Amino acid sequence: MRHLPVMGREVLKWINPQEGHLYVDCTLGGGGHTKIILKETKGKVRILGIDWDEEALEIARRELKDYQEQVIFIRDNFKNLSRILKQQGIKKVDGILYDLGMSSLQVDNPQRGFSFRYPAPLDMRMDKRRELTAAKIVNEASESELEEIFRKFGEEKWAKRIAKFVVRERKISPIATTQDLVEVIRRAIPSQVRYKRRVHFATKTFQALRIKVNEELENLNEALEDSLNLLSSSGRICVISYHSLEDRLVKRKFKEAHGKQIRILTKKVIKPSREEIKINPRARSAKLRVAERI
Ligand SMILES: C[S@@+](CC[C@H](N)C(=O)[O-])C[C@H]1O[C@@H](n2cnc3c(N)ncnc32)[C@H](O)[C@@H]1O
């Protein structure tokens, strides 16, 4: 499945790309946002595109083949942004974009284990070079660690019971696949609660594991810190987040730096239009925050 860039029009408006300027797309994915910026500026900007997922980079390279001269592709964790720029001999950039989380290319790839909808090994690594997988956590973490992960990263009210059931089940046989885990969660959450939930009963546990496997909050925290330092004066940072843990982190970081390093431009968070959500339901939880370097 193709990945549709979320809030493409809004990102373009807020990044406000100018000819000759240099931008960083820290979450290149399928290259959707980068392509929008390149099209709008008729390729008269340079973009450094970072992603740690080699499949994403491969697709982005194909999608952006008409702009080979303008894009530098880098496979790395965006938390290394300072080092990446240094290696490229770049001191400051004119805009930085984060479109966090996963792309449809990742979620809809049944083999990667992100989705409870497809049977697959419990993997969930965006960067396959990393060692920690969801299966390792589920089968090796202690009951209290599991409870904390499900509560902290999934805001799952039934964290304690799910952790208990996971530990009980894995003594009988390892929880190796997405379906194994869905089954354990199904048994842990009482049916009257399951049926009342607006989202699938496994959503929160799967989100929690994905965040833990990919250290999403730690990466974002470090990356935001560096990003503000690397922006040139009047350079903008745009961050699209997809769950409240991420959004709270962005909001807090921006607030701390407001008036010192940056000026917050989006006093009210920006959300996708109803029309966009209709076309692309994955956009429904997206929130965009923008700040400008002073
Ligand atoms: C929502 S997608 C981006 C989609 C892209 N904006 C587009 O329109 O095609 C997020 C991407 O960020 C990447 N990503 C997430 N965390 C990362 C990190 N810490 N370092 C590098 N890439 C990361 C994922 O691998 C994924 O490809």
Side-chain angles (χ1 to χ4, degrees):
M1 196 203 197
R2 270 182 78 83
H3 177 89
L4 298 172
V6 170
M7 287 193 268
R9 226 178 359 171
E10 291 82 352
V11 165
L12 194 58
K13 173 185 154 200
W14 287 102
I15 279 272
N16 189 21
Q18 306 291 317
E19 273 186 38
H21 279 191
L22 172 63
Y23 299 92
V24 188
D25 183 345
C26 285
T27 49
L28 186 65
H33 286 109
T34 282
K35 195 168 188 174
I36 291 176
I37 296 171
L38 285 162
K39 264 193 174 160
E40 173 71 13
T41 54
K42 302 192 174 59
K44 290 186 178 145
V45 293
R46 276 188 311 141
I47 302 188
L48 205 93
I50 303 171
D51 206 297
W52 59 359
D53 180 345
E54 67 174 337
E55 284 173 27
L57 276 179
E58 223 170 87
I59 292 165
R61 274 206 183 87
R62 265 204 316 269
E63 284 295 317
L64 301 167
K65 63 179 182 317
D66 295 341
Y67 300 100
Q68 282 175 34
E69 300 289 301
Q70 287 82 13
V71 186
I72 304 171
F73 296 88
I74 295 190
R75 184 177 181 200
D76 208 329
N77 187 331
F78 59 53
K79 79 167 184 186
N80 301 321
L81 187 59
S82 282
R83 178 184 38 75
I84 296 169
L85 292 189
K86 208 169 181 189
Q87 281 167 348
Q88 296 293 325
I90 298 166
K91 287 208 176 82
K92 296 276 175 196
V93 298
D94 302 300
I96 301 180
L97 169 66
Y98 289 92
D99 175 24
L100 299 165
M102 298 167 296
S103 70
S104 308
L105 309 166
Q106 293 164 326
V107 190
D108 294 335
N109 182 338
Q111 278 129 41
R112 303 212 38 188
F114 285 111
S115 172
F116 44 79
R117 296 184 200 287
Y118 312 111
L122 263 181
D123 189 318
M124 299 196 193
R125 286 169 302 167
M126 290 194 226
D127 182 348
K128 292 221 184 103
R129 296 168 301 187
R130 293 163 64 86
E131 268 181 25
L132 187 63
T133 63
K136 202 166 160 61
I137 296 174
V138 164
N139 289 292
E140 293 177 19
S142 69
E143 190 172 324
S144 59
E145 279 167 348
L146 286 171
E147 182 187 339
E148 200 200 339
I149 292 168
F150 299 153
R151 198 184 302 286
K152 192 166 153 199
F153 301 134
E155 301 184 310
E156 169 62 71
K157 286 205 184 81
W158 293 86
K160 194 174 175 63
R161 227 172 111 88
I162 297 171
K164 188 169 154 196
F165 274 57
V166 164
V167 170
R168 200 168 71 189
E169 288 300 319
R170 77 188 188 193
K171 280 191 192 137
I172 303 163
S173 66
I175 300 166
T177 67
T178 49
Q179 298 315 95
D180 293 345
L181 182 60
V182 169
E183 204 32 54
V184 177
I185 304 167
R186 183 197 305 281
R187 272 183 248 142
I189 305 180
S191 58
Q192 50 303 13
V193 178
R194 268 192 274 126
Y195 291 126
K196 270 199 217 140
R197 283 214 171 159
R198 262 190 322 115
V199 291
H200 188 283
F201 60 84
T203 306
K204 291 171 179 229
T205 309
F206 270 65
Q207 173 187 303
L209 283 170
R210 197 200 81 212
I211 292 175
K212 177 72 182 170
V213 166
N214 297 289
E215 294 183 330
E216 291 179 30
L217 299 175
E218 291 91 332
N219 290 336
L220 180 61
N221 197 28
E222 280 185 44
L224 286 179
E225 195 83 46
D226 282 352
S227 298
L228 303 187
N229 289 325
L230 294 164
L231 275 177
S232 57
S233 165
S234 304
R236 289 181 176 180
I237 174 165
C238 296
V239 187
I240 304 177
S241 60
Y242 292 86
H243 54 77
S244 52
L245 299 168
E246 275 171 353
D247 184 54
R248 258 179 254 151
L249 204 160
V250 179
K251 193 173 165 187
R252 203 192 61 227
K253 278 267 163 203
F254 277 15
K255 248 191 176 157
E256 281 166 10
H258 181 69
K260 298 174 205 136
Q261 279 180 298
I262 55 167
R263 206 160 49 88
I264 297 172
L265 300 182
T266 45
K267 291 280 176 285
K268 242 183 96 196
V269 74
I270 302 191
K271 295 183 186 165
S273 65
R274 233 178 289 150
E275 293 72 47
E276 175 170 2
I277 295 172
K278 224 188 268 167
I279 298 164
N280 184 13
R282 287 224 172 103
R284 68 185 175 276
S285 50
K287 288 183 178 161
L288 169 65
R289 294 187 187 274
V290 186
E292 188 174 79
R293 180 75 210 221
I294 295 170

